[in-house]
Amino acid sequence: DLCLGNGHSCALMAGGEVHCWGVNSRGQLGYDDRVSRGATPETMATSVALDLGQPAVSIGCGALFTCALLADASLKCWGDSAQGQLGQGREFPLGDDPGEMAALPAVDLGVHGRIQQMSVGSRHVCALFEDHTLKCFGQDSFGALGLAPLGDRGDAPGEMGANLPAVPLNEAIEVSQVVAGDGTTCVLANGGAVLCWGQSGRYGTVGLERPDPVIRFAGLEHSPMDYVGPPPLIALSLSRHHVCAQSATRTMHCWGWNEDGQLGTGDQRTLGRGQGDLADLGTAIPLGRGCGLC
């Protein structure tokens, strides 16, 4: 497993060890200092396994921080915490001073059973539990946490644990995957439908305008999903301003910002910001006969 941040990279090894390299301005490498690594052979030689207490099963890189889901289903994060993205009730970084990693506490998300999956955005983190509860913390300038009122969570005492509300999804919705991006969060729900909330504006990532959408704007009011569109979606990937999904019939569909052709639709038309924009979402990206998705 590999994750890429804003100038740093981390790798999850087969035995659960985590190694990081690159920019270390906020302790995002987890070596109890602010020394960047990777520009010379000598610095890469110091990229040893992090002291996380136990093996990791997944990792995620934010802009200036890193998280790992550990074997006991606990979540640990280190690096920048200016918006509460470490979930420790403080704005100061962790992992940049001696002894901090060995004493790094797990993120307190309350009692919901085991964490099934976590996803790390630019400045926020979401954790999905086995009971389908979803909790998000960190930066909330654009509604990425799915909570009202808007406001960063995890940067001040008393905001985590039982005090952190779950994302108020409709009871009929069972989330199977969560992906966090840059001010946006999307989930894959039962029936292969998708809900997205957070930053949209001119980018269309949350699919605001279609009245019967494959993508329903969750924002701060989560609605039941009626699946409409291409075959049920089974996997999501979220970039800064666009989303792509794989369907059950192995086709790929994308929406959002398209100035550089990142949607693969053969044009530069952004999808999801205007009335009827997502009507074409049922058309698969023409990847060719040799494509493994096709």
Side-chain angles (χ1 to χ4, degrees), residues 17 33 54 56 71 81 108 111 124 143 154 181 186 188-189 206 221 224 226 242-243 245 252 259-260 266 274 289 291:
E17 295 182 346
D33 58 37
Q54 58 183 294
S81 191
D108 182 4
V111 180
H124 76 289
C186 292
L188 185 63
V206 301
E221 298 177 1
D226 294 319
H242 74 290
V243 188
M252 182 171 285
E259 187 176 59
D260 300 304
R289 293 183 179 178
C291 167

Side-chain angles (χ1 to χ4, degrees), residues 22-168:
V23 176
N24 197 29
S25 57
R26 304 292 284 174
Q28 57 264 51
L29 300 190
Y31 292 120
D32 287 338
D33 58 37
R34 294 198 179 194
V35 179
S36 297
R37 291 165 170 82
T40 66
E42 292 76 20
T43 57
M44 278 304 289
T46 65
S47 176
V48 297
L50 300 187
D51 185 3
L52 296 175
Q54 58 183 294
V57 296
S58 69
I59 55 174
C61 295
L64 296 172
F65 73 107
T66 310
C67 293
L69 182 61
L70 303 181
D72 67 348
S74 64
L75 177 63
K76 289 189 176 183
C77 300
W78 58 95
D80 187 38
S81 191
Q83 288 81 36
Q85 56 267 57
L86 302 190
Q88 296 297 336
R90 53 179 282 173
E91 297 180 346
F92 303 104
L94 286 171
D96 62 332
D97 284 326
E100 288 185 337
M101 290 300 293
L104 186 66
V107 179
D108 182 4
L109 292 170
V111 180
H112 296 281
R114 293 175 65 87
I115 297 176
Q116 177 177 300
Q117 185 214 339
M118 65 93 179
S119 183
V120 178
S122 292
R123 293 174 179 84
H124 76 289
V125 182
C126 292
L128 175 63
F129 293 84
E130 288 181 335
D131 65 357
H132 303 289
T133 298
L134 179 65
K135 285 193 169 186
C136 301
F137 56 93
Q139 187 183 53
D140 195 33
S141 301
F142 306 103
L145 305 188
L147 302 174
L150 292 178
D152 297 349
R153 312 271 178 141
D155 61 337
E159 293 182 339
M160 298 298 293
N163 293 327
L164 179 67
V167 179

Side-chain angles (χ1 to χ4, degrees), residues 124 144 179-186 196-200 205-206 238 240:
H124 76 289
V179 287
D182 187 5
T184 307
T185 303
C186 292
C196 297
W197 56 90
Q199 182 172 219
S200 179
T205 47
V206 301
L238 176 58
R240 186 176 185 187

